[in-house]
Amino acid sequence: MRGQARNGRRKTGDGKRETENGFFTFYRLPSTLLPFFLLLAFFPSPLYSRDVYLQLMAHGKRLNIGISEFIPRRAAINESKFSREAISVVRNDLLFTKIFNIVTGGPPYTGEKDELNYWRQLNADILLTGTILLEGKNAYVLARLIDVGSSYEIWSGEFSDDVKNLRKISHSISDEVILRLTGEDGIASTKIAFVNDSSGAKEIYTIDYDGYNLQKITNENSIIILPKFSSDAKEIIYTTYRYGNPDLYSIEFKTMKKRKVSSVQGLNTTATFSPDSSMIALTMSRGQAPNLYLISRHGDFLRQLTFHKGIDTSPSFSPSGNEIVFISNRPGYPQLYIMNADGTNVRRISTRDFCDSPSWSPKGDKIAFAMRNAGCYNIYVYNIRAEKTVQLTFNSGNNENPSWSPDGRFIVFTSTRNGKKELFKMFLDGSGQSRVAEIPGRCFTPNWSPRLY
């Protein structure tokens, strides 16, 4: 729930000031906002101050955000260094969104009018500022958003964690800034799960969305494929061949505790969670042709969804949970199909070549998938309403296994453009294609996490 503490931090709401000695609330209404609040007095509405900025961006205007130095609460070299590093992370997070212009070069903000005037001359609309305190092993950051034109404090909040988790604190600040100014959650605190073979076996790894904090999650010394986060970010499901059969297992993301989900003889693979994480759709063979089935989160059999004599695989739920897109070779080669979540109303999406690994956008309006073109696979996006397909990658080796960011604005995928399979990410229109990180070995089947709070 918004407004509650997350990741050990506490924060105030919109329009509230926060002090080091405690929390109290007062409101300062600049003259530019008085008519707005007078209207609310006569016409009650759940609007927040961020609606002003939502309207600006709805008309295509990027907000100019000034980022000032976070002032150390005491003269300490470590606090100054922490401030510079935190600001660098936040700056990169906000730039990545393609929503903001970043303004730098102004003075630290201590509350003086002349300081805001300087930022105003730099054309900053909003100023992100704050203070930092390092105490023992803990770091405390008080972040504030100031409307430069009116001096109005839009939001303030305190973030705390172990000093070693500087990037985590910084990402949390970025996500709150995005939430306060756009009304949508940010993705700076998300991770990407994927398979990598650098250890000599195929194991699951995770990495922060920006390419930092690479972590090995499994150590089975076997073949693991197709990791998928649950929609509540509590676990990752995957198929392992460790026990001689392609079994479906789960690993709890925070505790690393593993459990068996499905070990029915035959295939238990291409599994994906329903939007509420209560069910899993997957491909099972059960001694017959591979078809799609529905099981509970704990592995209890619920129903068979498809009854095709060929191969039905790679399901992905719509964000409403009412429909599933999947791959079927029923026309003689793998194509995209959509059906209701109970297996009824199956219909084909018209494409011209071999298709693979569909991923339904969290916004619900698009489906990303890989399709073969001139001997190579490329990433495409199908617009459901317009019934049109757009190609996003060109002349860059094989590009496969797309997965959406939780805000539906970015896609992570694998590409062989540099000679081996690596993780790449791009904007939803195909722009800004870049490697996530330089990672040893080959990378396979990435899955972008929900927000990790």
Side-chain angles (χ1 to χ4, degrees):
M1 180 177 179
R2 291 171 188 163
Q4 292 182 338
R6 294 194 294 230
N7 281 343
R9 73 190 190 228
R10 56 180 181 169
K11 60 179 179 292
T12 63
D14 300 296
K16 299 181 182 180
R17 288 293 300 271
E18 181 176 9
T19 70
E20 294 182 33
N21 296 322
F23 292 83
F24 64 92
T25 303
F26 68 91
Y27 294 87
R28 294 179 292 150
L29 302 185
S31 59
T32 56
L33 292 180
L34 279 173
F36 178 74
F37 281 92
L38 287 173
L39 280 174
L40 292 185
F42 292 97
F43 302 97
S45 169
L47 296 176
Y48 296 90
S49 61
R50 66 173 177 252
D51 292 327
V52 175
Y53 308 108
L54 279 168
Q55 292 171 16
L56 286 175
M57 284 181 290
H59 290 85
K61 179 184 177 183
R62 285 193 181 192
L63 285 176
N64 297 328
I65 294 189
I67 303 181
S68 79
E69 178 185 348
F70 285 6
I71 302 172
R73 295 188 193 177
R74 58 190 176 195
I77 295 177
N78 288 340
E79 289 180 353
S80 296
K81 182 177 182 234
F82 191 101
S83 172
R84 290 192 299 272
E85 293 175 352
I87 288 301
S88 176
V89 174
V90 172
R91 177 182 180 274
N92 290 335
D93 288 341
L94 297 184
L95 279 175
F96 181 76
T97 67
K98 293 192 172 187
I99 297 173
F100 309 107
N101 296 320
I102 305 301
V103 179
T104 57
Y109 181 60
T110 64
E112 296 296 327
K113 184 177 180 180
D114 289 345
E115 295 163 352
L116 279 186
N117 286 337
Y118 197 105
W119 285 103
R120 190 178 298 113
Q121 293 171 8
L122 293 175
N123 295 318
D125 300 311
I126 307 295
L127 179 64
L128 173 63
T129 184
T131 57
I132 283 181
L133 172 66
L134 302 185
E135 199 166 59
K137 294 182 178 180
N138 295 320
Y140 302 90
V141 180
L142 175 61
R144 303 169 61 199
L145 278 178
I146 309 295
D147 184 294
V148 174
S150 65
S151 305
Y152 177 68
E153 185 176 274
I154 301 166
W155 160 83
S156 67
E158 187 170 277
F159 300 75
S160 62
D161 211 315
D162 192 292
V163 173
K164 295 183 296 185
N165 294 329
L166 162 66
R167 301 191 68 86
K168 180 179 178 182
I169 295 173
S170 305
H171 289 323
S172 295
I173 293 172
S174 301
D175 283 340
E176 285 297 332
V177 169
I178 293 166
L179 172 63
R180 299 293 164 170
L181 297 181
T182 72
E184 295 189 3
D185 289 320
I187 63 169
S189 299
T190 61
K191 292 181 178 289
I192 297 167
F194 61 100
V195 170
N196 181 273
D197 64 0
S198 60
S199 67
K202 288 188 174 181
E203 305 283 0
I204 297 175
Y205 291 74
T206 62
I207 195 168
D208 291 353
Y209 96 97
D210 58 356
Y212 287 83
N213 195 26
L214 178 68
Q215 291 183 306
K216 188 178 182 183
I217 302 299
T218 61
N219 191 27
E220 296 194 1
N221 195 30
S222 181
I223 298 174
I224 290 177
I225 59 174
L226 299 167
K228 290 285 181 68
F229 277 96
S230 61
S231 53
D232 56 13
K234 290 183 178 179
E235 59 184 317
I236 297 173
I237 50 175
Y238 60 95
T239 296
T240 176
Y241 286 79
R242 183 178 184 180
Y243 306 104
N245 187 64
D247 299 326
L248 185 66
Y249 269 72
S250 164
I251 185 166
E252 192 173 294
F253 187 62
K254 290 186 177 180
T255 66
M256 299 300 167
K257 182 179 179 181
K258 294 194 303 183
R259 66 179 178 86
K260 181 173 62 179
V261 179
S262 178
S263 59
V264 176
Q265 188 63 34
L267 295 175
N268 301 272
T269 190
T270 67
T272 188
F273 280 97
S274 62
D276 64 0
S277 295
S278 66
M279 298 180 292
I280 296 171
L282 75 162
T283 297
M284 302 174 74
S285 53
R286 301 172 66 94
Q288 303 175 25
N291 274 282
L292 296 181
Y293 290 77
L294 203 61
I295 62 175
S296 74
R297 184 172 188 156
H298 303 288
D300 302 318
F301 178 84
L302 297 178
R303 68 177 66 92
Q304 184 172 347
L305 297 175
T306 63
F307 299 84
H308 180 235
K309 293 181 180 180
I311 299 173
D312 291 343
T313 188
S314 302
S316 176
F317 279 93
S318 67
S320 67
N322 294 328
E323 295 179 299
I324 296 173
V325 61
F326 65 100
I327 296 291
S328 177
N329 70 346
R330 56 191 69 188
Y333 58 104
Q335 287 288 281
L336 291 174
Y337 284 79
I338 294 177
M339 65 179 173
N340 294 348
D342 61 0
T344 61
N345 192 25
V346 179
R347 62 269 193 202
R348 180 180 170 182
I349 296 175
S350 178
T351 52
R352 62 181 180 271
D353 214 327
F354 284 43
C355 297
D356 192 20
S357 56
S359 177
W360 208 310
S361 165
K363 296 289 187 182
D365 58 340
K366 297 178 177 67
I367 295 170
F369 62 100
M371 184 167 66
R372 193 174 66 179
N373 180 7
C376 290
Y377 278 90
N378 280 291
I379 305 299
Y380 293 76
V381 165
Y382 175 72
N383 186 307
I384 296 172
R385 178 174 294 181
E387 297 184 347
K388 290 184 178 180
T389 299
V390 177
Q391 185 175 347
L392 302 186
T393 61
F394 300 85
N395 305 318
S396 53
N398 283 305
N399 300 274
E400 301 173 271
N401 300 113
S403 175
W404 293 91
S405 61
D407 62 356
R409 301 181 68 241
F410 300 90
I411 298 171
V412 65
F413 59 102
T414 60
S415 179
T416 61
R417 63 190 65 185
N418 294 330
K420 68 172 185 176
K421 277 199 172 185
E422 298 179 289
L423 299 183
F424 274 74
K425 57 189 176 186
M426 61 183 167
F427 195 58
L428 61 83
D429 64 1
S431 62
Q433 296 184 27
S434 62
R435 187 171 60 178
V436 173
E438 185 175 351
I439 303 171
R442 297 176 299 169
C443 299
F444 307 87
T445 58
N447 181 241
W448 207 316
S449 79
R451 296 161 189 88
L452 300 172
Y453 293 134

